[in-house]
Amino acid sequence: MKFPVVPVFILILFTCVVSAIWFISPSDKNTGPKTWSAFIYNHGYDSGKYKKTDNFDSYETCSDFAREQSAFYDDVPWECGSMCQFDTRKQGFQCKEMKNER
C-alpha cells in the first residue's frame, strides 16, 4: 500500500498557515486599565489636527477637561476615547470607544 504523501503534505501546510494566522492576529484581550483620552479638534473636526491628552480615569474627568479646552479655543469640537492606540496603517489613533455627550 502506498503512503498518501500529497494529501498529508497539504494537510500539514494548511495547519501551519492557520496556526500562523491565529498567532499573528492581534488579540482583543484588554490587559491594562481602562483610561480615557481627550481629543480637541482646534483646527476643525475634519482637519486631522488635534490636541490629545491622555490618562483620564473616567469619562467624566475627560469630558470636563475637553469642555474646558474647547471653550478656550472658541468652542471647537471635542471627543473622549477609551483605550486608544496609534494605528500605523491609518496614521491616527483608534479607540475602543469614542463619545461626546454634552
Side-chain angles (χ1 to χ4, degrees):
M1 198 155 114
K2 190 174 180 182
F3 187 72
V5 176
V6 175
V8 171
F9 178 74
I10 291 175
L11 182 63
I12 291 171
L13 185 64
F14 179 74
T15 304
C16 291
V17 169
V18 169
S19 63
I21 291 171
W22 176 266
F23 288 113
I24 292 173
S25 65
S27 64
D28 291 331
K29 297 176 184 173
N30 298 330
T31 57
K34 185 174 184 176
T35 60
W36 290 86
S37 300
F39 295 88
I40 314 300
Y41 302 102
N42 56 341
H43 295 284
Y45 185 76
D46 293 327
S47 70
K49 295 181 181 180
Y50 49 82
K51 294 186 181 290
K52 179 177 174 281
T53 307
D54 295 319
N55 297 327
F56 293 101
D57 294 330
S58 66
Y59 172 75
E60 289 75 23
T61 57
C62 179
S63 65
D64 290 343
F65 174 81
R67 287 180 186 144
E68 178 183 309
Q69 292 295 305
S70 174
F72 180 76
Y73 292 110
D74 297 325
D75 294 323
V76 296
W78 62 271
E79 284 182 307
C80 285
S82 68
M83 304 177 87
C84 302
Q85 294 180 344
F86 190 78
D87 188 352
T88 56
R89 291 176 289 166
K90 296 181 180 179
Q91 293 298 307
F93 284 91
Q94 299 296 312
C95 303
K96 297 281 183 187
E97 178 182 5
M98 288 289 272
K99 59 183 176 177
N100 175 353
E101 297 173 0
R102 294 184 178 229

